Amino acid sequence: MGMVLLILSFCFLCTPSFAAIEEISRSNPQNQREMIEVNGGPEDVVWVVQLSDLHFSVHHPERARHFKDIVGPSLSMINPSLVLITGDLTDGKSKDSLTMKEYEAEWMVYKKVMEDVIKRSGLNKNLFYDLRGNHDNFGVPKLDGLFDFYSRYSINTQLGRSGQVNSVTVENAVRKILFVGVDSTMSVGLRGPTNLFGHPTDQLLTEIDSELSQWSSESTRPITKISFGHYPLSFSAAANSGKTLKDIFLNHSLSAYICGHLHTAFGKNLKRHHHLTDKHLTSQKFFQLNAHQRFSGSIENCSNGRPAFKEFWEWEMGDWKKNRVMRILAVDRGFLSFVDIDFKLGAKKTIVLPTFPLDSRFMLTMSSSDQYKCQSIDPSSYAIRALVFSVSPIVSVVARIYDLRPGNLLLVLDSSMRNHAGSFSRGDLYVALWNYTAFEDPSPDRFWLQIEATDIGGRSTLSELRPFSVNGLSAKLSWTWIEFLAMGCQWSALYYPIIWSFYLATFSILIIPKFILTSTRKHCCNYKNFIAEFKGVPLLWLGMLIYLFYLLLFPWLWGQVVTDDGEMGFMTYKGWVVKLNKIGKLEFIGVPDIMVVVFPHLFFVVLPSILVTLALAAERGMYREHLLCFSGKKEDDHVVENTTGSQSCDSCGNAKSKLCLGKRWVRNILLLISLAIFWAHFESCRVLVKAYEMNPLLHFPVYSLSMPLLLASAIYRTWRV
C-alpha cells in the first residue's frame, strides 16, 4: 500500500519545475578501442578477473598490503585475459569517516601497489582497466585539476585511456567478446555523503551506444557483449532526455553488466535480471519486486533470422575493502558463468569454476529457453565443463550431480573429468561426457552440480553446489527486503514521489484536524478534545507549517561541497547549487544523491516531531479529563450533543487506565521518543558539519534549530494542565 501511495501521489502532484540543468560533458574524443588476441586452448573459452571497491586508505594500510600479497600471485595462477577494477580505488575519508575528499597519499599507495601486482602477476599492463568510483571523485571540482588524482595515478590514465567510455575486444578463433567500461561519476565531484549515484549524460549514453555497435556489421563470428562500471543500475540516474543505461544495454542484447559500489552491506544476492517487455507497466519505472524478471511469453519463432532477445543480467560483486572478494567471469562458447572468491583467510591454492551446465539461477531466461526449445545447441556440446586454476598439478577432477527431489541430496552421477585444454594452454578446462537427457526435468532446481579437484599434494577443493536445468528453465532467485531496497528500487525515479508523498501525509495531519474543528460541531468528544488541545498550541501548528514551506522554498544548508576552492554551495531538496550555468540560471546537481540527507531529516526528524507533538497534545487532554472526572468537576466542552441526545462522554475508566493516566506514563514514553529524535537530529547535524565544514549557527540555523525548538516547546507547553 505504501508503494501504491507513492505512485498515486506522483500522478496527482507535479515534480517541481526548475531551471534546465546544463549538461556538462566530460566526454573525450580519445575513447579507446583496443583489441586483444587470445591464442592457445581451451578453444572458445575466455576468462577475466573483476575486482571492486578496494578503498585503499592511509588509515587502513592492511587493505593495500593484503591486496599486494594476495592478488599478484592469484592473477599469476589464474592467467586472465583482462583484469577489470570497477571503481573506488581509494577511500577518500578522514579517520572518523566524516570528511570525504581526495588524499594524494592514498593514490600514491595505489599506484605503487598496482605496479607491484602487475609485476608479480606476469601480465601485461594493458590488460588492466581501472574505473573511477564515487570515492575517487569526492570533492573534485574540476577534471584534470589539482585535486583530480585519478587523472594522474590510475592505470587507465597512464595508458592514455582518458575518455569516459573505453572498450576492448578479446578475440579468439571462434568469437569476439566486447567489453565496454563506463565511467558515469559526477562531472563536478561533490563531497560525500551526497555523492552516491552515477550520473550518465545523454552524450555519454550516445558514446556507449556507439561502442556497443562497433561490431554490428560482423557476420562471420558471434559477438558476446559485456559492460562494466561502478554503479548498479538502481544507483544510476537518468540522463536529461530520460534515457538510462538500461535502455542502451537492452537495445544491444548485452549478456551482462558487472559492477560494484554496494559491497556486501546489503546482502550477497545483489543480482538482477532485466528484459524488454511489451507491457509498459508504470511500476517497472520505479521498482522490480524480484531479482529475476521472469519471461511470461512463449518461444514460437525458431527461424535462423529471428532477432536476439533483449535481456541481460546485472551482477554486483562484493568488495575488497572488508570482504577481500575477487570474481572470475568466464565466457565458454558464449555462455557466462562466474565464481566469487573470498580471500579473507588468505590466498587460494586451487579455484574451480564450472562453466557448463549453467547455474539455473543466473541464466538468460529467454535465450536459454529458446536454445532448448529450438535445439539451437549441438547436443554433442552438452558436456560438463569446468575451469580449474591451481598452483600445484591437478591429479583428479570429479563431477558429481545430486538429486534434491527426495528431500535431501542424493548422489546420482559421479564422473571423472579429463583435461581438454590441449598442449599449448592458457588454462585447464576439464570435461566429462554425460547423458544430459537423463536430467531433463520441469523443475529448474531439482539437480545440483558440484566439482571436486584434487592436487598432487592431496588437497581437495570443492566448487559451490549450484542448480542447473538442461531444459533452459530459470530457478528462483529471492531478495531479502534490504536487497530489494538496494537493487530493486530505482531511486532516481522514486525520489520526487517520496517527497510529495511525505508532504501529502504531513499536510493532511496538520490541516485536516484544523479544518474539522472549524467546520464541524458534532463529533466524538475525545476527538474534539484532542483537536482542541492541539489548537491550544497555535504557535506550534503555525511553526510546523512554516518550516515545511521553508524546506520547499529555501536552501537547507550552505557548505564546502568541493575541495578547497574557496566557494560555498547551497543545498535544497532539488540538489546542490555550486554555480550558475552559462545563461545565469541555477544549476542543480546531486539528485537523488541528496536523499541521504533529505529522507532521514523528513522521516526521522520532521514527521516524528509532528506526530509526537500531536500525541503530547492528546495526552494532555486525556489527563485533564482524568483529573476532572475524579474531582467531580465539569466543563462545558466535556459534554457533547450527538444524534441520540445529550450525554456526558467523561468516563473515569478502569483501574488500569486510571493508573496510566494518573502517572502520565504515555507522556513519559513520548519524552523518550523525543530524546531519540533529538539524538538523531544532533548526529545528522554533526555529520554535516564535518562533511561540509559548516557552522550550524551560520550555515544552516533553520535546519539545525527549528524542529528541536518546536518539539521542546511542545514538551514545555503540554506539561501543565
Side-chain angles (χ1 to χ4, degrees):
M1 289 301 293
M3 193 61 68
V4 173
L5 176 62
L6 293 178
I7 297 171
L8 288 176
S9 65
F10 181 69
C11 297
F12 286 101
L13 295 169
C14 299
T15 300
S17 60
F18 52 93
I21 299 174
E22 178 190 17
E23 185 173 290
I24 301 176
S25 174
R26 291 171 38 213
S27 302
N28 193 305
Q30 299 177 19
N31 289 338
Q32 297 290 308
R33 289 183 177 180
E34 301 183 29
M35 291 283 297
I36 295 175
E37 187 174 351
V38 173
N39 297 311
E43 186 181 46
D44 200 10
V45 182
V46 169
W47 57 95
V48 302
V49 161
Q50 181 191 3
L51 293 151
S52 195
D53 298 272
L54 313 185
H55 290 267
F56 287 176
S57 170
V58 293
H59 308 295
H60 299 278
E62 73 281 359
R63 297 172 190 169
R65 185 174 65 251
H66 292 166
F67 191 90
K68 182 176 67 173
D69 293 342
I70 294 173
V71 173
S74 297
L75 291 178
S76 178
M77 178 182 76
I78 297 167
N79 189 29
S81 297
L82 290 174
V83 179
L84 311 174
I85 309 176
T86 51
D88 283 358
L89 314 178
T90 62
D91 200 37
K93 286 186 177 182
S94 59
K95 191 171 184 178
D96 60 6
S97 297
L98 296 180
T99 303
M100 304 181 200
K101 59 183 181 180
E102 299 305 297
Y103 297 95
E104 188 170 13
E106 294 179 347
W107 285 98
M108 294 171 68
V109 169
Y110 172 75
K111 182 181 179 182
K112 184 177 180 180
V113 168
M114 290 309 302
E115 288 173 350
D116 185 85
V117 166
I118 292 170
K119 182 178 179 180
R120 297 179 71 179
S121 70
L123 302 174
N124 290 328
K125 190 174 184 177
N126 69 328
L127 302 184
F128 288 75
Y129 284 75
D130 54 354
L131 295 179
R132 191 193 313 252
N134 58 312
H135 281 251
D136 309 315
N137 196 35
F138 282 153
V140 178
K142 182 183 178 182
L143 292 176
D144 298 319
L146 182 62
F147 299 101
D148 184 14
F149 300 123
Y150 174 88
S151 295
R152 274 187 266 167
Y153 293 99
S154 69
I155 295 173
N156 275 4
T157 301
Q158 294 172 43
L159 296 177
R161 303 168 187 154
S162 54
Q164 281 185 271
V165 183
N166 292 283
S167 68
V168 55
T169 301
V170 179
E171 183 179 19
N172 57 36
V174 179
R175 81 177 54 244
K176 286 184 170 72
I177 305 169
L178 174 63
F179 293 86
V180 177
V182 178
D183 174 8
S184 61
T185 52
M186 289 183 178
S187 56
V188 177
L190 301 177
R191 285 190 180 187
T194 56
N195 184 341
L196 192 62
F197 282 70
H199 292 266
T201 63
D202 284 306
Q203 185 167 346
L204 175 64
L205 295 181
T206 300
E207 292 180 8
I208 297 170
D209 183 74
S210 174
E211 293 301 310
L212 289 171
S213 302
Q214 63 182 274
W215 299 112
S216 296
S217 59
E218 176 75 43
S219 58
T220 57
R221 280 182 287 184
I223 310 294
T224 299
K225 299 177 182 179
I226 299 169
S227 184
F228 59 100
H230 180 64
Y231 302 93
L233 299 187
S234 57
F235 278 76
S236 295
N240 287 347
S241 64
K243 289 184 179 180
T244 64
L245 286 169
K246 176 181 176 180
D247 299 330
I248 303 300
F249 293 159
L250 285 173
N251 285 339
H252 289 278
S253 301
L254 203 72
S255 293
Y257 171 64
I258 56 177
C259 57
H261 189 51
L262 296 180
H263 302 204
T264 55
F266 297 95
K268 296 185 178 181
N269 213 19
L270 302 180
K271 283 84 177 173
R272 181 178 177 184
H273 176 256
H274 305 264
H275 78 75
L276 188 65
T277 175
D278 294 331
K279 298 178 181 179
H280 300 290
L281 300 177
T282 304
S283 62
Q284 291 183 358
K285 177 182 177 182
F286 300 101
F287 57 86
Q288 180 177 309
L289 291 176
N290 300 306
H292 209 294
Q293 192 174 353
R294 293 188 177 276
F295 174 57
S296 58
S298 59
I299 306 299
E300 299 178 356
N301 182 7
C302 288
S303 63
N304 290 332
R306 63 188 183 275
F309 292 104
K310 295 185 176 182
E311 62 174 335
F312 69 93
W313 268 101
E314 177 186 1
W315 292 326
E316 200 269 357
M317 74 164 290
D319 58 286
W320 181 266
K321 176 183 176 181
K322 289 185 177 179
N323 294 284
R324 305 295 192 264
V325 176
M326 172 191 287
R327 170 175 291 169
I328 305 176
L329 174 71
V331 183
D332 182 356
R333 300 162 301 162
F335 298 109
L336 269 64
S337 55
F338 67 90
V339 61
D340 289 343
I341 306 128
D342 183 347
F343 286 111
K344 280 188 289 187
L345 298 179
K348 304 294 183 183
K349 300 293 185 181
T350 303
I351 299 171
V352 180
L353 170 54
T355 62
F356 198 85
L358 296 177
D359 189 325
S360 58
R361 296 168 296 183
F362 304 124
M363 295 191 306
L364 290 171
T365 308
M366 295 181 286
S367 300
S368 299
S369 180
D370 169 81
Q371 289 164 351
Y372 174 75
K373 292 183 179 180
C374 296
Q375 297 295 310
S376 57
I377 302 179
D378 182 359
S380 64
S381 67
Y382 270 97
I384 302 174
R385 296 159 68 94
L387 288 167
V388 179
F389 312 99
S390 181
V391 296
S392 302
I394 296 296
V395 297
S396 170
V397 179
V398 177
R400 297 188 179 94
I401 295 178
Y402 297 89
D403 187 351
L404 195 59
R405 176 175 286 183
N408 52 13
L409 292 175
L410 175 66
L411 181 65
V412 294
L413 184 145
D414 190 327
S415 176
S416 295
M417 305 179 73
R418 61 182 179 84
N419 195 331
H420 188 68
S423 56
F424 179 64
S425 173
R426 296 170 287 112
D428 293 327
L429 176 72
Y430 287 82
V431 176
L433 299 178
W434 63 327
N435 179 18
Y436 74 93
T437 58
F439 298 94
E440 292 181 338
D441 193 86
S443 172
D445 55 3
R446 175 183 173 183
F447 296 108
W448 293 68
L449 172 68
Q450 188 173 54
I451 308 293
E452 181 181 17
T454 305
D455 67 14
I456 196 170
R459 291 183 293 263
S460 175
T461 302
L462 293 170
S463 69
E464 180 188 38
L465 273 167
R466 56 179 65 190
F468 68 90
S469 171
V470 297
N471 300 52
L473 303 175
S474 297
K476 184 178 180 181
L477 185 65
S478 299
W479 279 330
T480 63
W481 68 269
I482 196 168
E483 289 170 341
F484 163 72
L485 291 178
M487 290 294 287
C489 293
Q490 202 63 38
W491 291 106
S492 61
L494 285 169
Y495 177 74
Y496 282 116
I498 292 174
I499 292 286
W500 300 133
S501 297
F502 168 82
Y503 271 90
L504 179 65
T506 51
F507 282 152
S508 299
I509 291 170
L510 290 172
I511 294 174
I512 289 177
K514 195 81 169 177
F515 174 78
I516 292 175
L517 182 65
T518 56
S519 62
T520 307
R521 293 183 178 179
K522 296 180 180 181
H523 37 67
C524 170
C525 69
N526 287 333
Y527 186 51
K528 178 180 177 181
N529 291 338
F530 155 68
I531 298 173
E533 291 297 334
F534 192 48
K535 185 182 177 183
V537 283
L539 290 179
L540 294 178
W541 181 86
L542 183 61
M544 290 176 180
L545 278 181
I546 291 174
Y547 184 65
L548 289 173
F549 278 108
Y550 172 87
L551 294 178
L552 286 177
L553 301 174
F554 297 98
W556 290 30
L557 48 91
W558 293 76
Q560 189 77 40
V561 71
V562 293
T563 300
D564 299 336
D565 67 344
E567 294 185 10
M568 301 282 281
F570 65 85
M571 195 200 86
T572 75
Y573 78 98
K574 297 179 184 179
W576 280 98
V577 175
V578 182
K579 59 183 178 179
L580 300 180
N581 61 19
K582 292 179 181 179
I583 57 177
K585 293 185 178 180
L586 296 180
E587 179 184 315
F588 294 97
I589 59 176
V591 173
D593 308 69
I594 59 169
M595 75 180 200
V596 297
V597 174
V598 172
F599 288 172
H601 185 63
L602 294 183
F603 291 100
F604 299 127
V605 177
V606 177
L607 183 59
S609 295
I610 292 173
L611 295 176
V612 167
T613 299
L614 295 175
L616 286 169
E619 189 275 340
R620 184 177 71 165
M622 295 171 63
Y623 184 60
R624 176 185 290 157
E625 272 194 42
H626 170 77
L627 293 180
L628 291 173
C629 179
F630 281 93
S631 65
K633 296 181 179 180
K634 258 187 186 180
E635 288 184 0
D636 291 340
D637 61 353
H638 284 261
V639 180
V640 178
E641 191 76 24
N642 60 21
T643 55
T644 61
S646 177
Q647 67 176 32
S648 170
C649 63
D650 284 325
S651 174
C652 293
N654 56 34
K656 185 179 291 187
S657 65
K658 284 191 241 177
L659 182 61
C660 291
L661 289 171
K663 292 186 177 294
R664 304 193 76 174
W665 285 1
V666 173
R667 179 180 176 82
N668 293 334
I669 293 172
L670 293 172
L671 292 179
L672 288 176
I673 296 173
S674 300
L675 288 175
I677 295 171
F678 287 139
W679 178 85
H681 185 61
F682 169 78
E683 282 296 303
S684 174
C685 292
R686 185 176 71 89
V687 169
L688 292 174
V689 165
K690 293 282 288 184
Y692 302 113
E693 300 180 26
M694 300 182 295
N695 184 315
L697 299 180
L698 295 177
H699 298 123
F700 58 121
V702 178
Y703 174 94
S704 61
L705 298 177
S706 294
M707 291 314 298
L709 290 177
L710 287 170
L711 185 55
S713 178
I715 293 171
Y716 174 76
R717 288 173 177 270
T718 57
W719 177 255
R720 296 183 180 275
V721 178

